[in-house]
Amino acid sequence: QVQLVESGGGLVPPGGSLRLSCAASGFTFSNNAMSWYRQAPGKEREFVATITGGGFTNYAVSVKGRFTISRDNAKNTLYLQMNSLKPEDTAVYYCNRLYSRNYWGQGTQVTVSS
């Protein structure tokens, strides 16, 4: 029932920007805090950013000041604006609910390289 479809990934040079989108369905989007996570090769999935239903945000130290999480409740869509990208940002990026994460989508690949 829950569906999470990430998109917007791609190949960008260091210092570049990218905007990711997450189309959500199967639950009441506006009532749920939402988060972005990422997983690099050989590493476990890690937290990137969270936005509450009311619009309050929190970020991992590694991305603070460079990434911005936002949401459009009318479209059931979550966004992640990524600026000043670094090679260490390379990973598959996933979206999910903060408090109920039994289902994961396919993610979207972000590669930061020259």
Side-chain angles (χ1 to χ4, degrees):
Q1 181 70 24
V2 172
Q3 287 195 296
L4 301 163
V5 183
E6 300 91 347
S7 63
L11 175 64
V12 293
S17 297
L18 205 60
R19 190 181 79 151
L20 307 184
S21 297
C22 168
S25 62
F27 62 95
T28 304
F29 181 80
S30 61
N31 291 345
N32 279 264
M34 298 293 296
S35 297
W36 285 98
Y37 304 85
R38 66 187 184 187
Q39 187 169 25
K43 295 189 174 183
E44 293 192 340
R45 184 178 285 117
E46 68 175 357
F47 166 80
V48 175
T50 288
I51 184 167
T52 70
F56 295 98
T57 60
N58 187 46
Y59 299 89
V61 172
S62 59
V63 308
K64 192 172 296 182
R66 300 187 298 120
F67 291 10
T68 302
I69 188 171
S70 62
R71 64 195 296 158
D72 186 338
N73 288 337
K75 296 181 178 180
N76 283 5
T77 302
L78 181 72
Y79 303 98
L80 185 67
Q81 178 66 47
M82 306 185 295
N83 298 325
S84 301
L85 283 162
K86 305 175 180 180
E88 49 262 47
D89 295 318
T90 295
V92 177
Y93 284 70
Y94 302 88
C95 63
N96 218 321
R97 293 180 287 186
L98 177 62
Y99 296 112
S100 184
R101 303 192 295 273
N102 297 126
Y103 173 85
W104 294 88
Q106 291 296 302
T108 185
Q109 176 71 50
V110 172
T111 303
V112 184
S113 176
S114 298

